[in-house]
DNA sequence: TGAATTTTGTACCGCTTCGCATATATTGAT
DNA sequence: ATCAATATATGCGAAGCGGTACAAAATTCA
């Protein structure tokens, strides 16, 4: 692939453009972001945006999808670093933190949890995207807990799916709390406490 | 108070109107809701809305504030029902559930967590409101855990603030997951697991 | 060189947005 | 009855919205 195509070459990189679009949606949400703002952020004008990705909703979904692929990939890499369940779980949360904290003077939290959640009640496609994203997080964590149990790090009575849900839940809260800039909330401490709480009573 | 006022009597009840406005914001978020929709929902026309509550943002903040007062009141009542820490904690989550599930064919989740979170990155007032609301939840839970510890239901080593943060976090996730209509997620089971996980290792 | 193809830029459409200016209605006080 | 005070109703206006028609630009192929 990547053979020379016939017409005028595009002046943008789709991945970069979607990244820039995400940045805008991330900060302001779907409804709060105008196509003009996306146009400015990406450097593409509106007809190009439309031709490349579709309408506003399609741009949003593709931008979020791209984020999800990348972000979840990094979270999984940390989660399966194989330095023991406690260290890996902490690494999982810590891997999310810089992303959640990103933003000029404003911590943007998680684009999926913090912006898709609003639209979920109004748009079935975005609702399905969100549900799937939450499932992916739970599943990755569940797989990691199953591995830990099989390796004898966790007691045989430990239920991976249950632990996965708990661990996923704490990630959701982390996303919300960081974006809310809750006073006195210290993410690193929260992560430490989370890991301890989840593993409490399940160590082999 | 409530002496007869001088001009034409208002044709609306402020509390009811704010409740109707919240309903619209709850479903569609702040940016996704127009003043026309609020006007329809409340039965008030725009000038009346403006005179009564202020601009769109003021309406939103007052509606959410009213919700918070009422909702948190009910949660606290359940949390301090005094039937033991495990039962009370479960009651706390169960008290939130019907509210989170409400909505015609759509579970709306929590209006604060699911709609204020987006705006928090863009609006400092709403950010502060959200942060305060999250603090209130944590504080109520912390107080309840402190009580349980003082009564000997929890070990002396239990840290109420830490437990409060954990328990609050699971409420956040409950709100998000219900609104996302995550397939296979069963709130009642999740609540049961949450209570068990939080109290694990802290029972006296 | 010229035709075909793809992307870009301008400019616009119809519609909705929020906020308010103005006029009307309904009450209590005088 | 008249006035003052408050609430409601109509409707406007400037700006912004998402989306697109159309022509110019830039490239490959013949």
């Amino acid at each position: 692939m990547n053979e020379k195509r016939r017409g005028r070459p595009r002046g943008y990189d789709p991945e970069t453009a979607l990244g820039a679009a995400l940045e805008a949606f991330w900060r302001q949400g779907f409804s709060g972001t105008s196509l003009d703002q996306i146009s400015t952020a990406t450097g593409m004008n509106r007809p190009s945006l439309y031709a490349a990705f579709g309408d506003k909703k399609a741009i949003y979904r593709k931008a979020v999808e791209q984020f999800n692929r990348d972000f979840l990939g990094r979270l999984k890499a940390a989660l399966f670093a194989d330095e023991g369940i406690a260290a890996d779980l902490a690494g999982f949360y810590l891997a999310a933190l810089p992303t959640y904290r990103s933003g000029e003077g404003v911590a943007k939290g998680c684009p999926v949890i913090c912006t898709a959640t609003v639209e979920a009640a109004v748009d079935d496609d975005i609702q399905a995207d969100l549900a799937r994203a939450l499932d992916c997080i739970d599943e990755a964590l569940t797989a990691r807990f199953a591995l830990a149990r099989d390796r004898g790090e966790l007691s045989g009575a430990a239920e991976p799916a249950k632990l996965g849900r708990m661990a996923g839940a704490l990630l959701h809260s982390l996303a919300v709390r960081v974006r809310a800039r809750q006073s006195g909330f210290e993410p690193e401490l929260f992560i430490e406490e989370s890991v301890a709480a989840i593993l409490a009573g399940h160590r082999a």
Side-chain angles (χ1 to χ4, degrees), chain A residues 130-196:
Chain A
L130 172 60
R132 221 173 303 124
L134 299 185
D135 281 341
C136 282
I137 297 172
D138 287 351
E139 281 165 21
L141 287 162
T142 298
R144 183 63 184 85
F145 286 120
L147 184 67
R149 190 188 55 182
D150 293 347
R151 290 200 175 155
E153 286 188 289
L154 295 178
S155 79
E159 297 170 64
K162 182 174 118 183
L163 293 172
R165 272 192 294 274
M166 288 291 116
L170 296 173
L171 185 73
H172 306 162
S173 179
L174 186 64
V176 170
R177 298 178 109 124
V178 167
R179 185 165 175 122
R181 282 179 286 165
Q182 194 184 193
S183 57
F185 176 74
E186 290 170 37
E188 282 86 355
L189 177 60
F190 179 76
I191 290 172
E192 212 176 290
E193 294 168 354
S194 296
V195 173

Side-chain angles (χ1 to χ4, degrees), chain A residues 92-110:
Chain A
F92 169 83
Y93 291 119
L94 289 171
L97 202 47
T99 301
Y100 285 5
R101 273 182 166 144
S102 73
E104 302 285 317
V106 183
K108 301 199 302 298
C110 174

Side-chain angles (χ1 to χ4, degrees), chain A residues 5-83:
Chain A
R5 297 166 55 183
R6 221 166 104 150
R8 173 171 176 173
R10 51 173 54 140
Y12 61 89
D13 170 52
E15 244 181 80
T16 310
L18 283 182
L22 180 77
E23 199 70 17
F25 282 129
W26 196 347
R27 213 175 294 267
Q28 305 166 332
F30 175 75
S31 304
T33 305
S34 71
L35 282 183
D36 271 336
Q37 292 174 314
I38 300 172
S39 182
T40 302
T42 57
M44 301 167 65
N45 45 34
R46 285 222 295 283
S48 293
L49 275 173
Y50 201 82
F53 309 116
D55 66 5
K56 184 182 171 184
K57 180 172 135 183
I59 302 174
Y60 174 79
R61 293 182 68 196
K62 283 174 180 155
V64 169
E65 186 197 3
Q66 185 177 85
F67 169 86
N68 258 336
R69 260 201 313 275
D70 176 64
F71 184 62
L72 246 155
R74 278 181 288 136
L75 290 199
K76 278 185 187 168
L79 189 58
F80 290 87
D82 219 3
E83 300 181 1

